[in-house]
Amino acid sequence: MSRSLNKVTLIGNLGNDPEVRSTTGGNRVATFSLATSRSWNNQAGDKQEKTEWHRCVVWNTKGSQLADIVEKYVKKGDKLYVEGRIEYRQWQDKEGQTRYSTEINVRELIMLGGRSGSGDYDSDGSAGGSRSRAAATGGRAKGASTGGGGGTGEDFEDFPGALEDEDDDLPF
């Protein structure tokens, strides 16, 4: 049996706010464009830059509310890590022309911005990791915790300076 892999990993910025809609079957889907850029110097030493735009599609699935999370937390300009698979589609438009599209079907995303409440989410709607993030399950955001707080949303009032100290021994 031969094996294959269809996996895409992108880090980029949103070009616009996500568009969220419902299908006729009641399922929710979010779409957004993610920009990735690269830069280099040409032979003359001039700086060159190229931006690629990727159409990303995020579905709510049985047990996952990832499209709802995108609708609630992701905005234009946000930096995202996106993981999923690439899909090619073709269809006939109203004039009978064959149209083609390339999409990234997102299974996991991580909000990379520096705002509090950023987090990583996968297709089961759960959050992971140990840094400050908003956890979401079932499409509902829970309180943010900062590493080791047990996810209870504590304010760490007993240790007001502990979270401001940048000189720590944490390995991450």
Side-chain angles (χ1 to χ4, degrees), residues 63-108:
S64 166
Q65 305 302 313
L66 200 51
D68 292 339
I69 291 169
V70 167
E71 179 180 37
K72 188 170 185 179
Y73 295 107
V74 177
K75 302 291 179 232
K76 177 181 178 178
D78 286 352
K79 184 174 282 295
L80 292 182
Y81 165 94
V82 169
E83 188 175 300
R85 68 180 179 272
I86 194 165
E87 294 183 357
Y88 302 98
R89 294 189 304 125
Q90 74 178 45
W91 71 94
Q92 300 289 325
D93 66 11
K94 295 177 183 177
E95 289 81 37
Q97 299 290 321
T98 301
R99 300 289 183 173
Y100 301 91
S101 70
T102 303
E103 299 173 338
I104 308 303
N105 190 319
V106 177
R107 290 183 296 229
E108 180 176 353

Side-chain angles (χ1 to χ4, degrees), residues 9 16 21 36 46 52-53 64 69 75 84 88-89 99 108 118 126 128 133-134 137 143 146 163 169:
T9 304
N16 288 313
R21 55 187 165 78
T36 57
D46 299 326
E52 302 284 348
W53 289 94
S64 166
I69 291 169
K75 302 291 179 232
Y88 302 98
R89 294 189 304 125
R99 300 289 183 173
E108 180 176 353
S118 66
S126 63
R133 66 190 74 238
T137 52
T146 304
L163 298 177
D169 294 326

Side-chain angles (χ1 to χ4, degrees), residues 54 57 96 144 167:
H54 311 275
V57 180
D167 191 27

Side-chain angles (χ1 to χ4, degrees), residues 24 32 50 135 151:
T24 55
F32 56 86
K50 182 170 183 176

